[in-house]
Amino acid sequence: MPHTPSAPVILGNEPGSFPHSVLAERHPAIIRQVREAFPYGPAQHRALDALLASCTKGVVEPLPADAHDRARWTAWGMAEYAGRSWYDIPWLWSESYFYRQLLNAVGYFGPGPWQGIDPFRPFKLAELDSQETDEELAALDALSAQDQDQDRALLHGSLWGNRADLGFRLSAVTADAEQPAPGLVADDSETLWSLLPPAGAGTLCLIADNAGRELIPDLLLIAHLLERGRIERAVLHIKPYPYYVSDATTADVLDALRRLTGAQGAAVEYGRILWSAMADGRLIVRAHPFSAAPLPYADMPDDLRAELATAALTIVKGDLNYRRLVGDRLWPPTTPFGDLTAYFPGPVAALRTLKSDVITGLAPDTEAALVAAEGQRWRTGGTHALIQVRP
């Protein structure tokens, strides 16, 4: 990232820090949950036990010699980090590699009967089939027919993701103003809409984050933009394999579409729009290998860079993708978002709820209000969000 200040890369070796808690507590819990979610056999149980020992007390182990993506992970840093503690290497890398090793442990890449079985699927389906999802889809019927109201509601639905209380209603700006610190810490939504004019003819790229109740509002936003003619085409970038427990794959997109088309009211119409758009090529699902890379988007390969350069706008969803967009570093919160995304090949917007320490682009008074009200808890609690745009 040229012409930007340096900041320390986030590691997981500081006890009490959020990254340390993910490595020391969340990852072992995920291993236990996955182990209990399926009747895996002794081979999978042994591999999961070995991964648990490795990621809590051991060191990073290289992928097996016959792994189909060993060369790719070697290029991504495996040779450099193998043999080192999970805590002493970049947190983004250790998190990503943990999920790749978890898939290896359960036999996802085969060959064998567990090949292609998503270890997180039970959790995804439970959320997708929940009463909360029913309620959120029913709320679509109450949206105002006014274009501006629908724009705002669906954008905020995508922003807040699975926050059920905020999913499909207009944000309470007046309530926000009464709070000691704003819920929306940065809001470039006017700039975002200026890049998607009412008679737009360009392509929207949306780099998705989670499946289930977060993916559905992403799809609803795409359907709305296609139906209103604000975009001609959408490319939905998802993960090439299960990743970070809930990240969206092609199977999750199809599950979400079936959920919409099997619902009632306005949700069905949105589902039909999306189904038709996929069938005629106006909505394309893309699973680029770099979507699951342990690297910042500044290091994206040339083919992905060329593709994103053609988009009228790329929307980058979620916390993990934000870390990859600006770099997983401890930037001063007032570091300009535009400076850190100057490398991006076209206009880019970040929609993100705050669930990790990385943050950029805040006004000084906003940062001061957040710290005064909550200390540093505002960075990781998921109670604040942002819409940041670099045209």
Side-chain angles (χ1 to χ4, degrees):
M1 297 181 187
H3 311 301
T4 58
S6 61
V9 173
I10 295 178
L11 308 178
N13 58 5
E14 181 181 345
S17 68
F18 182 69
H20 188 276
S21 71
V22 169
L23 297 174
E25 300 169 19
R26 182 182 296 178
H27 286 180
I30 289 169
I31 291 174
R32 289 190 293 270
Q33 290 168 353
V34 166
R35 184 186 180 113
E36 295 169 1
F38 288 96
Y40 290 121
Q44 284 78 27
H45 287 165
R46 287 193 296 270
L48 288 169
D49 291 343
L51 178 60
L52 178 61
S54 168
C55 69
T56 54
K57 300 178 181 179
V59 297
V60 173
E61 301 285 348
L63 291 176
D66 60 350
H68 73 283
D69 54 352
R70 182 183 171 93
R72 182 180 298 148
W73 276 95
T74 298
W76 286 347
M78 186 176 69
E80 178 181 357
Y81 299 129
R84 297 173 61 181
S85 167
W86 293 79
Y87 296 87
D88 293 335
I89 62 177
W91 181 43
L92 176 63
W93 202 97
S94 59
E95 269 199 297
S96 297
Y97 194 64
F98 167 78
Y99 288 101
R100 174 58 185 84
Q101 288 285 48
L102 181 62
L103 293 182
N104 195 64
V106 298
Y108 179 86
F109 294 109
W114 294 102
Q115 186 176 30
I117 302 297
D118 183 347
F120 312 125
R121 185 168 174 77
F123 318 125
K124 294 174 178 178
L125 291 180
E127 181 183 275
L128 197 60
D129 294 337
S130 67
Q131 181 179 346
E132 289 82 0
T133 302
D134 288 335
E135 294 170 355
E136 290 169 359
L137 294 180
L140 288 170
D141 297 334
L143 281 184
S144 168
Q146 296 295 318
D147 285 356
Q148 189 172 10
D149 289 347
Q150 288 194 347
D151 286 351
R152 184 177 179 83
L154 293 173
L155 180 65
H156 278 253
S158 180
L159 168 66
W160 289 102
N162 60 10
R163 288 284 303 279
D165 57 328
L166 292 171
F168 297 109
R169 59 184 197 177
L170 301 178
S171 62
V173 176
T174 54
D176 222 19
E178 298 169 1
Q179 299 300 316
L184 195 59
V185 301
D187 185 4
D188 295 338
S189 54
E190 288 189 13
T191 304
L192 185 152
W193 291 119
S194 74
L195 296 168
L196 300 172
T203 295
L204 171 73
C205 288
L206 192 152
I207 300 177
D209 187 30
N210 292 331
R213 289 168 61 204
E214 182 169 340
L215 182 60
I216 281 181
D218 293 343
L219 290 171
L220 294 174
L221 178 62
I222 288 173
H224 173 71
L225 296 174
L226 286 170
E227 183 188 28
R228 296 304 170 94
R230 304 190 76 145
I231 58 174
E232 184 176 16
R233 178 173 168 268
V235 181
L236 179 66
H237 287 257
I238 45 82
K239 300 301 187 295
Y241 49 76
Y243 191 63
Y244 276 71
V245 181
S246 57
D247 280 31
T249 65
T250 302
D252 299 317
V253 174
L254 299 178
D255 285 339
L257 283 178
R258 292 191 184 99
R259 187 69 166 88
L260 287 171
T261 56
Q264 304 291 325
V268 176
E269 294 306 314
Y270 282 106
R272 289 171 180 166
I273 291 168
L274 292 162
W275 196 281
S276 174
M278 285 192 71
D280 64 24
R282 289 177 296 128
L283 172 56
I284 296 172
V285 176
R286 182 96 156 89
H288 195 286
F290 192 76
S291 294
L295 303 173
Y297 274 101
D299 296 338
M300 74 179 82
D302 291 342
D303 64 326
L304 182 58
R305 180 178 297 275
E307 180 177 334
L308 298 178
T310 66
L313 175 66
T314 296
I315 293 178
V316 176
K317 277 295 309 293
D319 195 79
L320 171 61
N321 285 326
Y322 187 87
R323 291 163 57 192
R324 297 185 66 195
L325 179 65
V326 302
D328 202 33
R329 295 171 175 267
L330 288 173
W331 302 109
T334 55
T335 305
F337 175 76
D339 287 358
L340 298 182
T341 55
Y343 71 90
F344 206 84
V348 62
L351 303 186
R352 175 217 182 188
T353 53
L354 277 57
K355 299 177 183 176
S356 68
D357 292 306
V358 178
I359 185 68
T360 69
L362 293 191
D365 57 343
T366 299
E367 181 195 4
L370 290 165
V371 172
E374 303 178 33
Q376 296 299 323
R377 294 188 306 276
W378 59 273
R379 292 174 176 259
T380 59
T383 56
H384 298 279
L386 56 80
I387 302 173
Q388 292 177 326
V389 180
R390 195 226 70 206

